[in-house]
Amino acid sequence: MESIQSEAALNFCQACAVRNRAICADLDDEEIRILNSIGRRRHLEAGEQLFWEGDEAIVVANVIEGLLKLSTQTSDGKEQILGLAYPSDFMGRPFGNSTPYGVEALTPALVCTFQRADFDRFAREHPKLEHNLLERTLSELDRTRRWMLLLGRMNAEQKLATFLLDMSERLAPKGCAPFEQSADAFELPLSRQQIADVLGLTIETVSRQFTKFRKQGLIDLPSRREAVIQKRERLEELAQ
């Protein structure tokens, strides 16, 4: 029975859409079996919390499907969104004691979760994973800097242009390495209201900017949940 379960776990990982982009990408079959023995898959509904800010860092997770937001509470009790987590992103604080931000599913999501103590032990014993953790941490720092610039210094036009470009990169075709390729046509997993909340804008402003971009021929909107970037270079200029 144990052998059958181990083989099923390995098959699940080999068929995983983010297998070659996730933190476990460089692990061999035996290492994947060991990692599966300490992890479990969890489905989240939109609005369900995965981590609570300030709680003890008991769990870490890897996103397989869906979109999640990372947020913190300001001193006056308002929510400040720190960024978004896409498929293949790793969340949590390995080797840490507390969770520095809250994580909530914006869409239905599937994640692989691991008890932090078990994951820390595995990372120490497998240098390839530890190396990937370092690379992910540095990439996350770069994304955080860009996000702070987006929220603090960009106007509405720049914010939406940056958001669409970032989403086209993060939702690149399956099989691409992170940031290696972008998709001009992609599904918008968020509603206009959710986009407004993420960017710190009103829904009216977001709708006006979408309409403006469409009329200028920068994007096409086949439906409210689809976007096609038609003039990427021009959109990149607006995002500067």
Side-chain angles (χ1 to χ4, degrees), residues 12-13 23-24 32 34-44 48-51 58-65 68 89-92 103 109-120 122:
F12 177 87
C13 286
I23 197 169
C24 52
I32 286 292
I34 297 172
L35 191 61
N36 266 284
S37 71
I38 63 172
R40 70 182 184 91
R41 288 175 285 279
R42 177 180 171 186
H43 291 271
L44 298 170
E48 188 173 351
Q49 202 81 11
L50 178 61
F51 300 148
I58 298 175
V59 174
V60 295
N62 201 59
V63 183
I64 302 176
E65 299 173 0
L68 301 93
D89 280 351
F90 182 81
M91 297 177 299
V103 177
L110 175 63
V111 297
C112 280
T113 64
F114 307 90
Q115 292 294 308
R116 182 184 60 80
D118 293 336
F119 186 86
D120 289 356
F122 181 89

Side-chain angles (χ1 to χ4, degrees), residues 171-228:
L171 298 177
K174 296 175 183 178
C176 300
F179 314 112
E180 183 179 87
Q181 182 175 343
S182 57
D184 285 336
F186 55 95
E187 180 181 355
L188 283 171
L190 304 180
S191 67
R192 298 291 190 270
Q193 183 62 63
Q194 287 175 314
I195 294 172
D197 292 341
V198 165
L199 298 180
L201 301 170
T202 65
I203 187 173
E204 292 81 11
T205 298
V206 168
S207 296
R208 282 197 299 270
Q209 291 300 322
F210 266 114
T211 300
K212 177 181 176 182
F213 286 176
R214 181 177 55 78
K215 288 182 176 179
Q216 291 176 341
L218 304 182
I219 63 172
D220 187 25
L221 301 169
S223 72
R224 291 187 64 82
R225 287 302 181 99
E226 293 178 278
V228 180

